[in-house]
């Protein structure tokens, strides 16, 4: 059930940090928190997803953003996070409310138990009248396990909290049908299918880690959960209220009127691919029709080094994604079962188990509303070619 009074606001580094000096943009932050204070008085619950800590930290460390590596950015996050939160704390105090920092990693969102724990924490903060400020925990994450951009992080938070709106404030006024610097570029007011715009949205800002493409990916995640995404320019004067009141133009990515369950949304909208399985085309048709889960005998190949309980992407032999689901086995156990179908799981693994790798109840079929992932081309274990001898 979508919470109509709940709004997630995402603000990018280019708005929060002066690009030349890598210092806080105090005027914008005052406008931002002033609007949040006004929304809170109207009974709205607001969650802020904020970039900026790495950019501020790089300034404090004297590092060049264009040349900073992973370790530089991790150190910058450690320095920049308390600096940014201190700025928010001071300004929020002027408006009469308090803030809390919620640092999240991709694992916190991809692991079901940690996802629920994170949701409970943020919900309790809202119940206590405190503004949660969410950011990725860049101090401990590496390129391989990070969310990668705060657009998709904000969308996952919006899904988690069943928010009615996700407002993404950025450096331009919304989506265009091509690069807005090109002659004849047209502003797009409403988007129903974000897939139509992915190819024209691949640039990023000098400070941020995401561009318009990640905003479209985030919008798709939010859509699936029944949350509308508004993309607008973050002006100093009423950056939030002018958009919500229709006084400043924006692009709206329209929410699905029949959203999936919170369980299905969590399972299908992934940040990273833990692994995947390619199934033969005949059983792929049965999976699509809802007749079966993924059985060991259906497996053509396995991609990635995954563990029990990970969410896998299921492809057919033509490379088309069929479904996503929770695996009962790690990649090595799944391969052993697929290679030795004449033996029981107990004989192979040493314990009693079914040979169903993903149960049908833990498998969600992909619909047109979902953005499909490309099938991995490396780390492939072909069942027909691998020998255990």
């Amino acid at each position: 059930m979508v919470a109509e009074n709940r709004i997630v606001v995402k603000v990018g580094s280019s708005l929060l940090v002066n690009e030349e000096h890598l210092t806080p943009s105090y005027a914008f932050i005052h406008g931002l928190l002033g609007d949040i204070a006004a929304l809170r008085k109207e009974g709205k619950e607001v969650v802020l997803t904020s970039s900026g800590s790495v950019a501020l930290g790089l300034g404090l460390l004297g590092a060049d953003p264009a040349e900073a590596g992973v370790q530089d950015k991790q150190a910058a996050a450690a320095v920049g996070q308390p600096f940014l939160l201190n700025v928010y704390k001071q300004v929020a105090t002027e408006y009469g409310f308090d803030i809390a920092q919620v640092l999240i990693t991709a694992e916190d969102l991809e692991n079901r138990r940690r996802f629920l724990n994170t949701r409970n924490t943020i919900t309790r903060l809202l119940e206590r009248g405190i503004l949660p400020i969410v950011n990725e925990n860049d101090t401990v994450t590496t390129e391989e396990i990070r969310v990668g951009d705060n657009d998709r992080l904000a969308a996952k938070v919006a899904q988690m909290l069943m928010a009615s709106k996700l407002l993404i404030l950025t450096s331009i006024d919304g989506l265009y049908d091509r690069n807005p610097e090109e002659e004849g570029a047209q502003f797009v007011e409403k988007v129903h299918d974000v897939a139509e715009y992915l190819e024209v949205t691949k640039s990023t800002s000098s400070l941020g880690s995401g561009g318009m493409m990640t905003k479209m990916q985030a919008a798709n995640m939010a859509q699936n959960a029944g949350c509308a995404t508004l993309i607008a320019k973050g002006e100093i004067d009423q950056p939030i209220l002018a958009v919500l009141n229709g006084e400043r133009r924006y692009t709206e990515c329209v929410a699905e009127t029949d959203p999936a369950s919170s369980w299905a949304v969590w399972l299908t909208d992934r940040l990273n691919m833990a692994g995947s399985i390619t199934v033969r085309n005949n059983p792929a048709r049965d999976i699509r029709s809802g007749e079966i889960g993924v059985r060991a005998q259906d497996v053509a190949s396995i991609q990635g080094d995954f563990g029990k309980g990970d969410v896998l992407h299921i492809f057919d032999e033509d490379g088309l994604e069929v479904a996503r689901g929770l695996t009962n086995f790690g990649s090595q156990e799944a391969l052993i079962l697929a290679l030795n179908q004449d033996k029981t799981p107990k004989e192979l693994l040493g314990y009693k188990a079914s040979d169903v790798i993903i149960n049908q109840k833990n498998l969600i079929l992909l619909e047109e509303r979902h953005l499909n992932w490309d099938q991995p081309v490396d780390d492939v274990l072909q069942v027909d070619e691998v020998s255990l001898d």
Side-chain angles (χ1 to χ4, degrees):
M1 188 85 164
V2 174
E4 293 297 334
N5 68 329
R6 194 167 284 174
I7 300 170
V8 175
V9 178
K10 184 268 175 179
V11 186
S13 296
S14 60
L15 299 176
L16 294 166
V17 180
N18 179 287
E19 187 171 346
E20 181 179 356
H21 302 291
L22 297 181
T23 54
S25 299
Y26 283 95
F28 177 79
I29 292 172
H30 270 275
L32 177 72
L33 295 192
D35 278 5
I36 290 176
L39 289 170
R40 287 162 55 90
K41 289 179 180 178
E42 296 175 5
K44 304 292 186 183
E45 293 183 331
V46 183
V47 176
L48 177 61
T49 302
S50 172
S51 302
S53 62
V54 172
L56 288 175
L58 289 172
L60 294 170
L61 294 174
D64 184 350
E67 298 178 0
V70 173
Q71 292 182 349
D72 294 321
K73 292 178 181 178
Q74 289 175 325
V79 176
Q81 283 167 1
F83 184 18
L84 178 62
L85 264 290
N86 185 53
V87 174
Y88 276 132
K89 175 78 171 180
Q90 292 179 356
V91 177
T93 299
E94 294 182 31
Y95 289 104
F97 63 90
D98 209 344
I99 66 167
Q101 182 181 49
V102 182
L103 294 177
I104 294 177
T105 67
E107 279 189 276
D108 296 324
L109 300 172
E110 304 285 63
N111 178 280
R112 184 64 177 173
R113 181 175 58 83
R114 292 167 68 169
F115 175 90
L116 295 174
N117 288 340
T118 304
R119 184 178 70 182
N120 292 340
T121 297
I122 296 176
T123 301
R124 181 53 58 90
L125 291 170
L126 292 172
E127 291 171 350
R128 298 292 184 178
I130 296 172
L131 171 68
I133 300 180
V134 181
N135 194 5
E136 183 167 12
N137 194 353
D138 292 303
T139 302
V140 300
T141 53
T142 62
E143 290 295 335
E144 291 78 15
I145 63 171
R146 65 194 304 262
V147 176
D149 62 86
N150 275 345
D151 295 319
R152 293 187 305 150
L153 175 61
K156 294 295 288 186
V157 171
Q159 288 181 339
M160 174 190 295
L161 301 173
M162 296 176 286
S164 63
K165 288 185 176 64
L166 167 61
L167 173 58
I168 299 179
L169 296 176
T170 185
S171 56
I172 62 173
D173 53 356
L175 174 69
Y176 287 78
D177 63 353
R178 67 194 79 172
N179 188 322
E181 297 180 358
E182 292 183 17
E183 184 178 353
Q186 298 294 312
F187 185 78
V188 180
E189 292 187 355
K190 284 191 183 292
V191 175
H192 292 274
D193 182 3
V194 303
E196 297 177 2
Y197 298 96
L198 291 181
E199 288 302 315
V200 297
T201 58
K202 293 187 176 178
S203 63
T204 63
S205 73
S206 60
L207 289 182
S209 58
M212 192 57 71
M213 183 174 185
T214 65
K215 291 168 179 54
M216 289 292 98
Q217 294 170 333
N220 179 253
M221 291 180 175
Q223 283 177 317
N224 295 336
C227 176
T229 300
L230 312 181
I231 303 171
K233 188 172 184 179
E235 300 283 1
I236 292 176
D237 182 33
Q238 292 193 315
I240 300 174
L241 293 179
V243 177
L244 297 181
N245 295 335
E247 299 166 5
R248 185 175 298 134
R249 76 173 182 174
Y250 57 85
T251 295
E252 178 183 4
C253 299
V254 181
E256 292 283 349
T257 56
D258 182 25
S261 68
S262 59
W263 159 255
V265 166
W266 172 81
L267 197 150
T268 53
D269 285 329
R270 313 308 297 163
L271 295 168
N272 300 300
M273 186 184 292
S276 64
I277 288 178
T278 300
V279 297
R280 306 183 196 283
N281 283 338
N282 285 337
R285 284 191 287 271
D286 293 335
I287 291 172
R288 284 191 175 98
S289 66
E291 296 178 14
I292 59 172
V294 177
R295 305 165 302 185
Q297 67 199 61
D298 304 329
V299 175
S301 63
I302 292 173
Q303 298 84 30
D305 182 15
F306 52 84
K308 179 179 179 179
D310 281 342
V311 175
L312 304 184
H313 296 240
I314 311 304
F315 296 89
D316 63 19
E317 291 178 293
D318 297 322
L320 300 177
E321 195 173 5
V322 178
R324 294 169 193 168
L326 286 172
T327 176
N328 296 323
F329 302 99
S331 53
Q332 292 303 315
E333 289 184 326
L335 180 63
I336 290 171
L337 292 175
L339 286 169
N340 299 277
Q341 297 168 26
D342 57 334
K343 297 181 180 179
T344 68
K346 184 173 178 57
E347 290 177 290
L348 296 169
L349 306 178
Y351 61 89
K352 188 176 181 180
S354 166
D355 65 349
V356 177
I357 295 173
I358 301 178
N359 296 332
Q360 188 178 352
K361 67 179 182 179
N362 290 332
L363 193 72
I364 302 295
L365 300 177
L366 294 193
E367 303 176 21
E368 290 184 0
R369 67 174 71 176
H370 297 110
L371 295 177
N372 290 337
W373 287 45
D374 292 333
Q375 186 178 27
V377 295
D378 55 357
D379 295 327
V380 176
L381 301 174
Q382 294 286 347
V383 170
D384 292 337
E385 298 175 3
V386 174
S387 171
L388 296 181
D389 296 334

